[in-house]
Amino acid sequence: MAALVVVALLAWPIGLAVWANGKVQHTAALSGAANTPGTTYLLTGSDSRADGGIEQDGTEGSRTDTILLLHVPDSGPTALISLPRDAYVEIPGNGQAKLNAAFSWGQAPLLVQTVEGLTGLTVDHYAEIGMAGVEQIVDAVGGVNLCHDADVNDADSGMVWVAGCHDVDGTQALAFARMRKADPKGDVGRAERQRQLIGAVMSKVKPSELAVRPGQQVALIGAGTQALTVSDESNILDMARLALAFRAANSPEGITGTPPIASMDYRPGGNVGSTVLLDPDTAPAFWVAIRDGSLPAGPVGGVPGA
């Protein structure tokens, strides 16, 4: 996900933007639904093994562990909301299931439709980054400093961590962003680390300094675009606007967090297993407030009772 931000930040000079735009891959993703106020971006991280970011382990196709909704209202604070991959939602044409099943079953188009039904917001731009892209962009900026307040040795993600802050390379950063099972906060904790990684990459990329380092600009854009896919209607300048929105959301004047959660272990029966239940009483009003920019700045949501 951090690669999206870096690519956008580097694309201001017209010549560089044209070159970068030609490297970006496109996909049909948007639903064509009627516009809603403001600008809404849907950002995902694909864990497909095809790009080499994760070792082959028998997993077929692609899934997404990262689903971020970034909304810029006509007025009010910009919001960056992490949607839990296990959120129990209605998937058009498929009934109720975990949110990331929409991506597995119908890729970007079905995920977009599902998120639009969940939030009431029309997605204007879609962007997807492969896991290899995360590693490459972190390495391209010379590594980042990340913090986690617990020791971790998680075989599934590969995250090995001693409590505290550490300078890490791309491989370690990817593990940091993927780890879930060793985190008592599960999806919510992983989403927090993913947003931390985005902020860390952005802090390493200063356009004023890169302006005098054209070689580094080209290297960073090459790394960022290699695994980047955006909706057909989007271009590199839209990604630049996305970067500005990321900065606004992560500033003291922005909103970050999750929708209201009623349960982290909701079991609806059948073969669905444990899911995350968004609060049916407060979530609808939450999305209206995000759309209208009427929520106050600051963190929102999180683990119930935390």
Side-chain angles (χ1 to χ4, degrees):
M1 301 306 296
L4 306 176
V5 179
V6 174
V7 169
L9 287 173
L10 300 178
W12 289 110
I14 294 176
L16 194 60
V18 171
W19 176 77
N21 202 55
K23 294 177 69 66
V24 176
Q25 304 172 76
H26 290 84
T27 187
L30 304 188
S31 69
N35 289 335
T36 49
T39 302
T40 302
Y41 304 84
L42 181 62
L43 318 170
T44 67
S46 169
D47 69 354
S48 170
R49 274 58 174 168
D51 66 4
I54 305 174
E55 290 185 7
Q56 292 288 346
D57 58 4
T59 300
E60 298 293 334
S62 59
R63 295 168 175 78
T64 177
D65 288 337
T66 306
I67 308 172
L68 296 171
L69 190 80
L70 179 63
H71 181 69
V72 183
D74 291 333
S75 63
T78 297
L80 178 62
I81 306 300
S82 296
L83 302 178
R85 72 161 199 171
D86 289 341
Y88 192 57
V89 301
E90 182 71 26
I91 299 178
N94 293 273
Q96 292 183 298
K98 294 179 181 180
L99 178 58
N100 72 337
F103 189 82
S104 297
W105 293 339
Q107 297 297 293
L110 186 57
L111 181 62
V112 166
Q113 292 177 47
T114 302
V115 170
E116 289 179 339
L118 173 67
T119 66
L121 293 166
T122 295
V123 174
D124 299 295
H125 301 284
Y126 171 86
E128 176 186 318
I129 186 73
M131 294 298 99
V134 176
E135 289 191 23
Q136 292 162 2
I137 204 65
V138 170
D139 288 338
V141 299
V144 293
N145 187 265
L146 300 171
C147 301
H148 186 65
D149 60 2
D151 293 344
V152 175
N153 190 347
D154 181 65
D156 286 341
S157 66
M159 181 177 172
V160 178
W161 199 267
V162 176
C165 299
H166 305 282
D167 293 327
V168 301
D169 62 13
T171 300
Q172 295 166 310
L174 177 57
F176 181 91
R178 293 185 64 233
M179 191 275 285
R180 176 175 67 107
K181 292 184 179 179
D183 191 328
K185 293 191 289 185
D187 261 348
V188 172
R190 174 165 55 189
E192 291 172 352
R193 289 192 306 281
Q194 289 167 350
R195 295 195 300 270
Q196 182 187 160
L197 173 58
I198 292 169
V201 171
M202 291 181 67
S203 71
K204 292 291 292 288
V205 180
K206 297 180 173 61
S208 60
E209 296 180 8
L210 289 172
V212 295
R213 300 176 185 173
Q216 189 175 10
Q217 288 190 30
V218 171
L220 285 169
I221 291 177
T225 57
Q226 183 173 343
L228 178 66
T229 302
V230 301
S231 46
D232 286 338
E233 298 80 358
S234 304
N235 57 41
I236 203 72
L237 294 181
D238 292 313
M239 295 299 97
R241 297 183 186 99
L242 179 153
L244 296 177
F246 260 120
R247 286 189 180 276
N250 283 288
S251 75
E253 291 75 38
I255 295 171
T256 58
T258 72
I261 295 173
S263 173
M264 294 290 294
D265 188 26
Y266 176 64
R267 296 178 180 269
N271 297 320
V272 179
S274 177
T275 70
V276 174
L277 179 65
L278 303 185
D279 193 320
D281 297 325
T282 60
F286 170 83
W287 292 120
V288 170
I290 290 292
R291 179 198 69 194
D292 296 342
S294 59
L295 277 183
V300 294
V303 175

